[in-house]
Amino acid sequence: MEWFQSLDAVYQALIATLFTWFVTALGASVVFLFKTIHKTILNGMMGFAAGVMIAASVWSLLIPSIEMSQSLNVKEYVPALIGFLLGGAFLWIFDQIIPHLHIGEDRSEAEGVPTSLHRSILLVFAITLHNIPEGLAVGIAFGAVAGGAEGATLAGAIALAIGMAIQNFPEGASVSLPLRRDGFSRMKSFMYGQASAIVEPIAGVIGALLVVTITPIQPYALAFAAGAMIYVVVEELIPEAQRNSNTDIATIGCMLGFAVMMTLDVALG
C-alpha cells in the first residue's frame, strides 16, 4: 500500500481505473464459458450494478461534496446541487448525440443521432456511455485526496474504485453474452465487452487532472460525477433490470448492491 500512496494522484487514478476495466474484462470473459445467461440472473446483476452506483453517488460523492463545501463562502448544499444537476445534463446531452442501443431493445429503438452502425456496436456504445461517469468519479476521488479536500481520504477513493469494479463485472457480461447469442464468435464478443470500459482510464485521468489543477472545483466535480451516475441508473440500468416480469430479483439485486457499496465506503473510507 505504501508504494501506491507515494504515487501522484493521476497515476493512482490510472491504476484504479485500469483495475475497473480489468474487472469488466473478467465479466466479459464469461462468454468463453456460456453462450447465454438466464434473463432473471442478468436482471439481478443489472439491479446490483444500479444499487452500487446509487450508493457510491451518495456515500462516496455527494456527502464528501457537501463536507468540502463547508469551508467555502457559499451555502454548503449549493456546490453539490449545481454539480449534481450539471452531471445529469452532461449525460443527457451525450445521450442525445451518441448513437446507442440498450440491452434487450430492437435495432429500431436505437437512440442518439441516426446511424447505420451494427446493433453490436450500438450496444457497446451504450455501456461505454455510462462508463464515462464511473471513470470520472474514481479519478475525481483520487484527485480530491491529493488536493487535500476536507473529507476526502485515500481509503475512500479506493473503496469507490472497488465498488465500481464490482459492478463492472455484470456490465462486461451484459455486453458479451448478448453478442454471442446474436452469432458473434466468443473472442469477438469478449473483445467488444471489454472494450466498453476502455473509456474509464481516460475519464479517470481527466477527472484527477482537473481537480488537482483547479482545486476550487472539487466539491462541484464530485457532485457532477454523482449526477451523471444517477442519470445512468434511472435512464438505463433500472429500466433494463425491470424489463421482464420477474422484477423482484432486480429489486433485491439493487438493494444488495447498495448495501455492499455503503458497507465498503463506511468500512474503508
Side-chain angles (χ1 to χ4, degrees), residues 202-265:
I202 299 171
V205 168
I206 292 173
L209 280 171
L210 280 175
V211 297
V212 168
T213 306
I214 315 173
T215 54
I217 71 167
Q218 290 173 353
Y220 295 92
L222 285 170
F224 180 93
M229 289 208 295
I230 291 298
Y231 182 93
V232 167
V233 169
V234 177
E235 199 271 341
E236 182 175 345
L237 292 182
I238 289 179
E240 288 177 8
Q242 300 280 337
R243 188 176 296 276
N244 299 304
S245 58
N246 194 356
T247 58
D248 289 346
I249 299 299
T251 302
I252 292 170
C254 184
M255 296 190 68
L256 288 175
F258 187 98
V260 168
M261 185 64 228
M262 179 179 65
T263 302
L264 272 175
D265 189 86

Side-chain angles (χ1 to χ4, degrees), residues 6-204:
S6 65
L7 293 175
D8 181 82
V10 174
Y11 289 110
Q12 290 176 340
L14 177 61
I15 292 171
T17 48
L18 283 173
F19 172 66
T20 61
W21 163 80
F22 173 72
V23 177
T24 304
L26 284 181
S29 69
V30 301
V31 76
F32 292 109
L33 302 176
F34 309 101
K35 185 174 182 178
T36 185
I37 187 171
H38 197 280
K39 288 183 178 180
T40 301
I41 297 175
L42 185 60
N43 288 349
M45 293 167 68
M46 298 301 286
F48 183 89
V52 169
M53 291 181 72
I54 294 171
S57 297
V58 176
W59 296 93
S60 301
L61 299 172
L62 286 175
I63 291 177
S65 172
I66 293 171
E67 291 175 350
M68 291 177 195
S69 302
Q70 293 173 356
S71 60
L72 303 178
N73 294 323
V74 294
K75 292 289 186 181
E76 59 189 30
Y77 62 83
V78 171
L81 175 62
I82 293 174
F84 183 82
L85 294 177
L86 285 177
F90 172 80
L91 255 291
W92 178 81
I93 292 171
F94 268 65
D95 206 40
Q96 307 307 306
I97 297 173
I98 298 177
H100 60 284
L101 179 67
H102 299 307
I103 298 167
E105 293 183 346
D106 294 327
R107 177 64 178 75
S108 60
E109 298 178 274
E111 300 177 17
V113 298
T115 179
S116 59
L117 290 173
H118 192 277
R119 180 176 182 273
S120 60
I121 302 298
L122 295 177
L123 284 171
V124 174
F125 279 2
I127 300 297
T128 301
L129 183 61
H130 84 234
N131 277 335
I132 294 174
E134 294 171 19
L136 277 175
V138 174
I140 290 168
F142 281 101
V145 174
E150 183 178 350
T153 66
L154 181 60
I158 293 173
L160 177 60
I162 293 173
M164 292 298 97
I166 291 173
Q167 65 93 36
N168 273 359
F169 186 90
E171 286 185 2
S174 70
V175 176
S176 63
L177 289 171
L179 294 181
R180 176 59 177 158
R181 188 172 60 246
D182 288 347
F184 283 75
S185 68
R186 285 187 170 88
M187 179 56 70
K188 193 169 185 179
S189 300
F190 166 75
M191 293 303 295
Y192 277 128
Q194 62 82 31
S196 65
I198 287 178
V199 70
E200 287 197 18
I202 299 171

